[in-house]
Amino acid sequence: MSNATDTEGTANREPANGRSPGLSRRHFLLAGLAGSLLLTQSHEAGASEKFKTKAKIIIAGAGAAGLAAASQLANLLEGADIKIFDARKEHYYQPGFTLIAAGLKPANYSVSTTEEYIPPGVQWIPESITQFDPEANRVVTDKGQVANYDFLIVATGLKLDFDAIAGMDVQRIGKNGLGCPYAGPAAAFATWQAISEFTQKGGRGLFGRPKTEMKCAGAPLKHTFITDDYLRRRGTRSKSEIIYTAHNKVLFSVPIVSEKVRMLYEDRSIKVRHDHVLVAIDPDKRRAVYSTPAGTSEIDYDYINVIPPMRAPDPVRKSPLAWREGGFAADGWMEVDPATLRHRRFANVFGVGDVAGVPKGKTAASVKWQVPVAIDHLIATIKGEKPSLIYTGYTSCPLITRLGRAMLVEFDYKDNLVPSFPGLIAPLEELWISWVMKTIALKPTYVAMLRGKA
């Protein structure tokens, strides 16, 4: 089946040398418009006079959520003792991993430094927090430092549990048909090398997702679409088989989006096997082992996209901050109120980003809306005032469906579609402007968020 004609002349051009498909001046102008629209949808921090306080605030984690929280606090408070703890000196733009794995961006596209985003007035401690003691209002680091706080913001991200898949070796990503965009920029680039080799020859490709909660649940779907498109462009689709192994009976948690993806998969002859959970691989034999309701199932492959189970980091999972019962307890997600991101048992603690145990929200777009809510409630507590913001579960997924086309899917806790640009971007249509937003406009918006401007 051939690709639909792209009147803008981009969809039928294959990326070369790690660059995006060619873009006309019109594309760049509209990309700028899209970026401007995204920023107008943002909360502009620092518009009001700073509030003076001596509050001690600790932020655990200097990823997207932690840095955004630090910047907003620095913009809104004067005199506060704000410390952010994270041992990692590199900062990763994780939404770019899919683009790197698709051969659209170089490996260094997602790499910057933590230091460049630390706002004035915030102290960065390059140590990892290994113990949370919310009863005593203190944390302990891997270097043995003990720090006390009045307020704690937990933004540790999550843990990729590769050990849960028997035979998985992250050092072999990019070799023998093994891919995994999630393991970091280098692994994402190695994944692209594996995809490129696979699509030149054809064969059987396996895709899927873990049974646990995960960051950007649309990533496995877009990785499947992108690989399918490359096979078609390179003339090897007819001698290839693509299988998507769904961990349950749907393809996406939002029913209307799941149905749309099902229809697109059917149209593009992508096979789906439901209730398949990857539990082991044999990288040498290129064999995957799945747990299914009927027992163990083995499938041989030429290429496999491995996405590991994801859980809260051990310091959170093994602390009093984790959920003690319910669906989020098994993987240790942080127990927070879904509307306020405030901990349900420790009122001076907030959880934002991937670590938060909420029904939706493990994307960078979610962070953009979660952080202002948590900051609003934290500062209202300092002031003795009533907070005004709530988080409704907003999550965004620019779902690439082929090179040059994407669907901008936005939804909330109730699975309602909540488009930011009604009349301009239809959420369930494959549009080039959604592609441009994903590949060009979103990174500047992300950086603005880190700096407290979005």
Side-chain angles (χ1 to χ4, degrees):
M1 183 174 61
S2 62
N3 290 319
T5 301
D6 182 351
T7 58
E8 293 299 323
T10 62
N12 292 314
R13 297 182 191 173
E14 184 174 318
N17 301 321
R19 298 177 182 174
S20 299
L23 294 174
S24 67
R25 180 182 301 176
R26 179 172 177 237
H27 283 96
F28 279 110
L29 289 173
L30 285 169
L33 171 62
S36 298
L37 285 170
L38 282 168
L39 287 172
T40 61
Q41 296 288 324
S42 306
H43 296 286
E44 185 67 34
S48 59
E49 184 177 349
K50 291 186 177 183
F51 183 78
K52 295 182 180 180
T53 177
K54 297 295 183 181
K56 294 181 179 180
I57 304 172
I58 285 178
I59 302 171
L67 289 171
S71 292
Q72 292 193 26
L73 286 170
N75 287 338
L76 296 169
L77 297 178
E78 181 179 342
D81 179 4
I82 306 170
K83 292 184 174 72
I84 185 167
F85 288 79
D86 198 319
R88 193 173 68 187
K89 296 179 180 174
E90 286 187 327
H91 178 82
Y92 295 153
Y93 171 61
Q94 294 186 51
F97 289 179
T98 302
L99 301 179
I100 296 170
L104 301 170
K105 303 290 183 182
N108 64 3
Y109 172 73
S110 283
V111 183
S112 55
T113 66
T114 298
E115 185 177 18
E116 66 192 88
Y117 302 115
I118 302 296
V122 173
Q123 183 182 3
W124 171 36
I125 312 295
E127 300 176 20
S128 297
I129 293 176
T130 56
Q131 181 181 342
F132 293 94
D133 186 355
E135 285 95 350
N137 293 325
R138 68 175 190 173
V139 297
V140 182
T141 74
D142 57 345
K143 303 296 185 183
Q145 180 178 171
V146 178
N148 298 308
Y149 60 81
D150 298 310
F151 295 93
L152 171 66
I153 297 175
V154 181
T156 56
L158 51 70
K159 172 185 177 180
L160 301 174
D161 192 1
F162 286 106
D163 291 340
I165 301 174
M168 178 61 189
D169 182 355
V170 295
Q171 301 303 317
R172 301 185 68 170
I173 294 172
K175 304 171 184 176
N176 245 30
L178 177 60
C180 177
Y182 275 97
F189 186 73
T191 296
W192 159 241
Q193 294 174 313
I195 292 173
S196 184
E197 181 179 352
F198 167 66
T199 54
Q200 292 286 1
K201 300 177 181 178
R204 177 182 290 157
L206 298 182
F207 303 82
R209 56 153 291 170
K211 190 175 182 178
T212 63
E213 298 289 328
M214 64 174 291
K215 64 175 71 187
C216 191
L221 302 174
K222 52 182 113 169
H223 195 58
T224 311
F225 279 124
I226 290 168
T227 304
D228 170 79
D229 199 10
Y230 270 118
L231 287 166
R232 295 177 189 280
R233 291 165 186 270
R234 293 176 171 178
T236 52
R237 184 65 177 93
S238 62
K239 54 182 180 181
S240 300
E241 180 183 33
I242 295 182
I243 301 173
Y244 186 87
T245 54
H247 71 293
N248 56 16
K249 299 187 183 302
V250 298
L251 293 171
F252 200 76
S253 64
V254 179
I256 192 171
V257 179
S258 179
E259 177 60 15
K260 177 67 176 183
V261 172
R262 186 199 66 77
M263 293 170 64
L264 290 174
Y265 274 12
E266 182 176 325
D267 180 62
R268 296 171 196 182
S269 300
I270 296 172
K271 299 176 181 178
V272 178
R273 296 191 184 180
H274 291 287
D275 297 315
H276 275 58
V277 178
L278 182 67
V279 293
I281 64 169
D282 186 328
D284 294 317
K285 294 181 179 179
R286 298 199 188 194
R287 181 170 299 157
V289 181
Y290 295 88
S291 171
T292 78
T296 299
S297 172
E298 296 186 356
I299 308 176
D300 293 335
Y301 63 82
D302 296 287
Y303 172 78
I304 185 170
N305 176 44
V306 173
I307 300 182
M310 302 185 193
R311 317 185 197 283
D314 289 347
V316 174
R317 186 162 58 92
K318 297 176 181 178
S319 79
L321 298 176
W323 278 95
R324 297 176 296 182
E325 57 185 11
F328 296 122
D331 297 313
W333 303 113
M334 188 170 163
E335 183 179 354
V336 298
D337 180 276
T340 68
L341 290 314
R342 188 191 294 267
H343 199 279
R344 285 158 50 96
R345 289 176 281 114
F346 303 102
N348 62 337
V349 179
F350 295 84
V352 289
D354 293 345
V355 74
V358 295
K360 313 281 186 190
K362 295 191 187 330
T363 69
S366 304
V367 167
K368 184 171 77 100
W369 296 106
Q370 286 182 359
V371 170
V373 172
I375 299 303
D376 176 62
H377 284 253
L378 188 156
I379 292 179
T381 302
I382 293 175
K383 292 180 176 180
E385 297 177 352
K386 184 177 180 180
S388 60
L389 301 180
I390 63 169
Y391 176 59
T392 61
Y394 175 87
T395 304
S396 173
C397 176
L399 183 55
I400 296 173
T401 55
R402 65 181 71 197
L403 300 178
R405 290 287 186 269
M407 300 187 299
L408 182 59
V409 179
E410 302 168 277
F411 51 94
D412 61 16
Y413 281 142
K414 298 180 179 179
D415 292 335
N416 297 313
L417 295 183
V418 287
S420 295
F421 316 114
L424 177 63
I425 300 178
L428 296 181
E429 290 188 20
E430 300 175 79
L431 302 173
W432 70 266
I433 191 170
S434 299
W435 160 267
V436 172
M437 288 179 68
K438 168 63 179 175
T439 57
I440 296 178
L442 290 185
K443 188 177 180 182
T445 306
Y446 174 92
V447 172
M449 177 184 76
L450 298 190
R451 300 194 186 283
K453 297 179 180 179

Short mmCIF file of all heavy atoms in Angstrom, two decimals, residues 47 60 109 152 163 261 336:
data_model
loop_
_atom_site.label_atom_id
_atom_site.label_comp_id
_atom_site.label_asym_id
_atom_site.label_seq_id
_atom_site.Cartn_x
_atom_site.Cartn_y
_atom_site.Cartn_z
N ALA A 47 4.58 37.17 36.90
CA ALA A 47 3.85 38.37 36.53
C ALA A 47 3.52 39.23 37.75
O ALA A 47 3.35 40.43 37.64
CB ALA A 47 2.57 38.00 35.78
N ALA A 60 13.29 17.31 44.82
CA ALA A 60 14.01 16.06 44.55
C ALA A 60 13.91 15.74 43.07
O ALA A 60 12.86 15.34 42.58
CB ALA A 60 13.42 14.93 45.39
N TYR A 109 20.80 15.79 20.01
CA TYR A 109 19.63 16.67 19.96
C TYR A 109 18.95 16.78 21.32
O TYR A 109 18.42 17.83 21.67
CB TYR A 109 18.64 16.11 18.93
CG TYR A 109 17.30 16.80 18.90
CD1 TYR A 109 17.15 18.07 18.37
CD2 TYR A 109 16.15 16.15 19.38
CE1 TYR A 109 15.92 18.70 18.33
CE2 TYR A 109 14.91 16.77 19.34
CZ TYR A 109 14.80 18.04 18.82
OH TYR A 109 13.57 18.65 18.78
N LEU A 152 8.40 19.93 50.47
CA LEU A 152 9.14 19.02 49.61
C LEU A 152 8.37 18.82 48.31
O LEU A 152 7.16 18.54 48.32
CB LEU A 152 9.34 17.67 50.30
CG LEU A 152 9.92 16.53 49.45
CD1 LEU A 152 11.35 16.82 49.05
CD2 LEU A 152 9.83 15.20 50.22
N ASP A 163 15.60 -5.12 34.29
CA ASP A 163 15.85 -6.42 34.92
C ASP A 163 14.59 -7.29 34.95
O ASP A 163 14.68 -8.51 35.15
CB ASP A 163 16.36 -6.22 36.35
CG ASP A 163 17.76 -5.64 36.39
OD1 ASP A 163 18.47 -5.74 35.37
OD2 ASP A 163 18.15 -5.08 37.43
N VAL A 261 -6.43 4.35 16.22
CA VAL A 261 -5.18 3.62 15.98
C VAL A 261 -5.48 2.23 15.43
O VAL A 261 -4.81 1.75 14.51
CB VAL A 261 -4.34 3.53 17.26
CG1 VAL A 261 -3.13 2.62 17.05
CG2 VAL A 261 -3.87 4.92 17.69
N VAL A 336 -0.52 10.93 45.72
CA VAL A 336 -0.90 12.33 45.68
C VAL A 336 -2.37 12.46 45.30
O VAL A 336 -2.95 11.57 44.68
CB VAL A 336 -0.05 13.13 44.67
CG1 VAL A 336 1.42 13.12 45.07
CG2 VAL A 336 -0.23 12.61 43.25
#
